Amino acid sequence: MKISLKWINDYVDLSGISLDEIVNKISLAGLEVEEVIDQSKTFENIVVGFVKERKKHPNADKLSVCIVSDGSEEYNVVCGAPNVEQGQKIPFAKVGAVIPSGGFKLEKAKIRGEVSFGMICSEKELNISDNHEGIMVLDSSLKEGTPFAEIFEMNDIILDIAITPNRSDALSHIGIARDLAAIFNRKLKHPEIHLLESNIPSDKFASIIIEDSENCPRYVGKIITNVEIKESPTWLKNRLKNIGLRPINNVVDVTNYVLNEVG
């Protein structure tokens, strides 16, 4: 079970408690932490860059030579993407960065006679999506040099926790937060829910038939109308991506969100 510490903090305030103490205490309480993933290290040395100049590579038709600024220095970068243009804000992986999708460390390289000090990345190379048709173009208002992990809220700590069969209550963020609240004597905060409900009877839309009242004595449903299927908001997509789920659309995503929130 992958648990986001940022998400957990919605339900229990863990300020002032070190990561080591959280991992140690929750493991001693019976929820074994198998892995701790620091997302900011995944995107270390990857920042917002600005393409100050783009020109054709003198020795290769499909390559460009770009001057990329990180706000303090300028770098010569060879790029093979067809959509790279002067004036773009882009994810820039500096020499020393490890590319998330391939796991290889960037070094200074000479490509067809031109020296390249880094790489302009696509979404696929950053494990953001499967899109590798071109580089990822960022919002033009972003400040050069800003860490990539920061702008996409990928600076979370993820705990991979082994849940034993008798602890189904811990198969959610609120379940883990409940344990942490007890361990550290902190208050557990449940999310506030505000429903806009009509007085139209639900049986005008659908009905429930219980065929096995012994094994399922009660079943409750709620009708939601006027739903438009579209892309989820960024905060929701980020939360799902942080725990290893791929965003689909708002209806699928909110289902996965609630599943991981309350179990």
Side-chain angles (χ1 to χ4, degrees):
M1 179 79 192
K2 283 188 167 61
I3 295 293
S4 153
L5 274 192
K6 275 192 172 181
W7 194 344
I8 283 285
N9 270 279
D10 285 358
Y11 316 119
V12 57
D13 181 7
L14 297 174
S15 58
I17 306 172
S18 71
L19 175 61
D20 287 344
E21 191 175 2
I22 291 170
V23 171
N24 183 50
K25 289 286 179 69
I26 201 170
S27 294
L28 289 175
L31 297 171
E32 181 188 357
V33 178
E34 295 187 315
E35 186 181 6
V36 178
I37 303 162
D38 185 346
Q39 287 188 324
S40 61
K41 291 183 179 178
T42 302
F43 298 99
E44 203 167 12
N45 285 324
I46 302 176
V47 301
V48 175
F50 176 64
V51 182
K52 292 192 72 173
E53 182 183 320
R54 172 196 174 266
K55 59 184 179 182
K56 185 178 175 298
H57 193 296
N59 304 315
D61 290 339
K62 293 185 178 180
L63 297 178
S64 301
V65 179
C66 302
I67 302 297
V68 176
S69 168
D70 69 353
S72 57
E73 293 185 53
E74 295 180 359
Y75 303 84
N76 201 70
V77 180
V78 176
C79 181
N83 65 326
V84 64
E85 295 291 346
Q86 181 178 323
Q88 290 173 332
K89 296 284 179 71
I90 43 81
F92 173 49
K94 299 182 180 183
V95 170
V98 176
I99 302 303
S101 64
F104 62 91
K105 189 174 182 178
L106 277 183
E107 298 179 357
K108 183 179 77 171
K110 185 172 278 191
I111 303 172
R112 302 292 293 272
E114 290 288 327
V115 179
S116 185
F117 294 89
M119 179 177 176
I120 303 174
C121 300
S122 68
E123 291 186 9
K124 185 171 184 178
E125 286 157 345
L126 297 170
N127 277 343
I128 300 295
S129 76
D130 293 329
N131 184 3
H132 60 95
E133 294 178 0
I135 59 161
M136 184 178 188
V137 180
L138 303 175
D139 190 320
S140 60
S141 65
L142 292 172
K143 186 179 178 181
E144 297 154 46
T146 305
F148 183 81
E150 185 179 309
I151 62 170
F152 277 88
E153 296 183 14
M154 290 182 176
N155 49 359
D156 203 349
I157 303 292
I158 307 300
L159 305 181
D160 197 349
I161 300 177
I163 309 294
T164 51
N166 64 317
R167 290 300 311 272
S168 58
D169 62 293
L171 287 170
S172 66
H173 279 73
I174 287 181
I176 299 294
R178 186 185 299 113
D179 270 33
L180 288 169
I183 291 166
F184 294 108
N185 196 27
R186 300 280 174 102
K187 185 178 179 182
L188 182 68
K189 301 175 290 184
H190 284 279
E192 293 184 12
I193 299 172
H194 304 284
L195 294 177
L196 181 65
E197 295 184 289
S198 75
N199 56 7
I200 302 173
S202 59
D203 59 12
K204 285 188 174 294
F205 300 96
S207 60
I208 293 170
I209 299 172
I210 295 176
E211 296 182 342
D212 185 351
S213 58
E214 182 177 345
N215 290 309
C216 179
R218 185 168 185 258
Y219 188 96
V220 177
K222 187 173 284 289
I223 306 296
I224 303 173
T225 60
N226 301 320
V227 173
E228 179 187 354
I229 296 177
K230 57 184 180 180
E231 187 176 356
S232 295
T234 301
W235 70 266
L236 175 54
K237 291 190 292 185
N238 286 344
R239 284 215 161 165
L240 294 180
K241 285 188 285 191
N242 283 353
I243 59 170
L245 297 177
R246 185 167 65 91
I248 306 295
N249 60 50
N250 56 343
V251 174
V252 175
D253 295 348
V254 78
T255 304
N256 282 328
Y257 179 87
V258 173
L259 174 65
N260 283 276
E261 179 186 47
V262 300

